[in-house]
Amino acid sequence: MPSLPPIRPEDEAVAERARPHGAFDQPDLDQHQSARFDYLLRLGDDALILGQRLSEWCGHAPALEVDLSLANLALDLVGQATLALNEAGTCEGKGRDGDALAFHRDVLDFKNCLLVEQPNGDFAQTIARQLLYSTWQHMLLQGLCGSSDRFVSEFAAKSVKEVAYHRELASEWAVRLGDGTEESARRMAAGLDWCWRFVPELFEVDDTLSRLIERGVAVDPKAFEGAYREAIGKVLADARLEVPADQRPILGGRRGHHSEHLGHLLAPMQFLQRTYPDATW
């Protein structure tokens, strides 16, 4: 009796249909697609959640000019989110588009960093959050312009121009508030102190990001962490503010572990689509 069963013609037919891919080729492809999908969600969710946060200022900002400025930032970010989430849906291949990903995912499925979901607080806290995030986002997009992924590079080339303005606006207001009155300086310092603990997450490199960095799709944020801290330090020096002391970092947003604030943000944002899931207009 042979030690192995004979190879039947139907077995040969199955093997022929599997060419040129072997049994170990597909998992690697799946891992790359999964990592790319996750990264697109990160880019899209960051922009979506911060855009939603900034839109809360519409009609409530301290001056009409500021009201319009923050609304324009929100529109830019929602536009970026639309591009990234639509591409994420295509990458996933399950028939979901950007709207489905924005309005029909639960809190634990969002991959945004914790910084962008933090409450607006007062105007100074909003500016502190915007300064810390936009400076990082601008540097990230500058690097992503050279991505090996065509969509990512084109997305970055378009978005980096918008975010350069976001960074400039936040920097100018940080200086105005910090070098303004005693009250404005106190509030700006308090806003920075609140947001500072979320900065380390921006430079966290996990397995998903490492895989994409190796392929040239993503950039290593640690490569520009020094430049980031130097840039923030310069703005704060101009604002006559101290760089906040390092705090215990709070991580987890990229893995779906969020603060209570995200659920409160998503509830009104997703209400209409959840209430009337089949509605079209």
Side-chain angles (χ1 to χ4, degrees):
M1 181 177 180
S3 59
L4 293 174
I7 299 177
R8 301 170 300 174
E10 53 266 37
D11 296 329
E12 293 180 341
V14 170
E16 186 65 29
R17 288 196 301 271
R19 291 181 181 180
H21 302 295
F24 297 100
D25 293 325
Q26 192 60 34
D28 181 65
L29 177 63
D30 289 343
Q31 286 179 3
H32 173 64
Q33 289 297 93
S34 177
R36 183 174 183 268
F37 172 65
D38 190 271
Y39 191 60
L40 290 169
L41 287 182
R42 297 181 187 194
L43 294 174
D45 288 348
D46 278 354
L48 176 66
I49 299 306
L50 185 55
Q52 181 71 12
R53 272 287 181 237
L54 289 173
S55 72
E56 295 172 0
W57 273 108
C58 192
H60 301 282
L64 179 59
E65 179 185 359
V66 178
D67 200 298
L68 294 173
S69 296
L70 295 180
N72 282 328
L73 265 62
L75 286 172
D76 287 344
L77 290 164
V78 171
Q80 294 167 21
T82 300
L83 290 173
L85 293 180
N86 276 331
E87 180 65 18
T90 301
C91 177
E92 182 189 36
K94 295 182 179 179
R96 294 196 291 181
D97 61 7
D99 284 346
L101 290 170
F103 298 120
H104 295 282
R105 278 183 297 154
D106 292 329
V107 171
L108 297 179
D109 297 321
F110 276 78
K111 300 300 178 70
N112 58 278
C113 64
L114 292 167
L115 177 62
V116 297
E117 70 190 45
Q118 297 310 301
N120 287 329
D122 59 19
F123 180 62
Q125 182 170 313
T126 293
I127 292 300
R129 184 189 62 203
Q130 196 68 39
L131 173 68
L132 297 177
Y133 179 75
S134 291
T135 303
W136 174 83
Q137 188 189 22
H138 187 231
M139 292 181 174
L140 175 72
L141 292 172
Q142 286 177 320
L144 290 179
C145 286
S147 171
S148 62
D149 186 295
R150 180 176 177 179
F151 171 82
V152 173
S153 64
E154 292 178 352
F155 169 82
K158 175 187 180 301
S159 302
V160 72
K161 303 170 187 176
E162 300 169 340
V163 176
Y165 167 68
H166 301 183
R167 179 181 177 182
E168 180 182 2
L169 179 75
S171 298
E172 289 178 354
W173 270 107
V175 173
R176 287 188 193 181
L177 294 170
D179 194 24
T181 66
E182 181 179 342
E183 176 69 10
S184 68
R186 182 190 66 79
R187 288 176 179 266
M188 190 67 206
L192 287 165
D193 189 61
W194 171 272
C195 296
W196 195 252
R197 56 192 152 163
F198 303 108
V199 169
E201 184 183 32
L202 301 176
F203 299 97
E204 183 185 24
V205 178
D206 58 11
D207 291 340
T208 294
L209 191 55
S210 294
R211 190 175 297 116
L212 295 176
I213 291 171
E214 291 175 1
R215 288 176 173 258
V217 174
V219 294
D220 187 348
K222 292 185 179 297
F224 60 84
E225 184 175 5
Y228 172 88
R229 293 186 178 276
E230 181 179 351
I232 295 296
K234 184 179 184 305
V235 172
L236 297 186
D238 291 342
R240 299 187 178 184
L241 294 169
E242 296 290 332
V243 175
D246 287 336
Q247 306 172 32
R248 177 187 176 188
I250 300 180
L251 312 172
R254 301 305 190 194
R255 297 183 291 278
H257 301 159
H258 295 283
S259 66
E260 64 182 276
H261 308 298
L262 183 59
H264 293 301
L265 180 148
L266 292 179
M269 189 187 88
Q270 297 180 334
F271 172 76
L272 183 63
Q273 292 78 8
R274 296 277 190 145
T275 306
Y276 305 101
D278 299 322
T280 57
W281 52 83

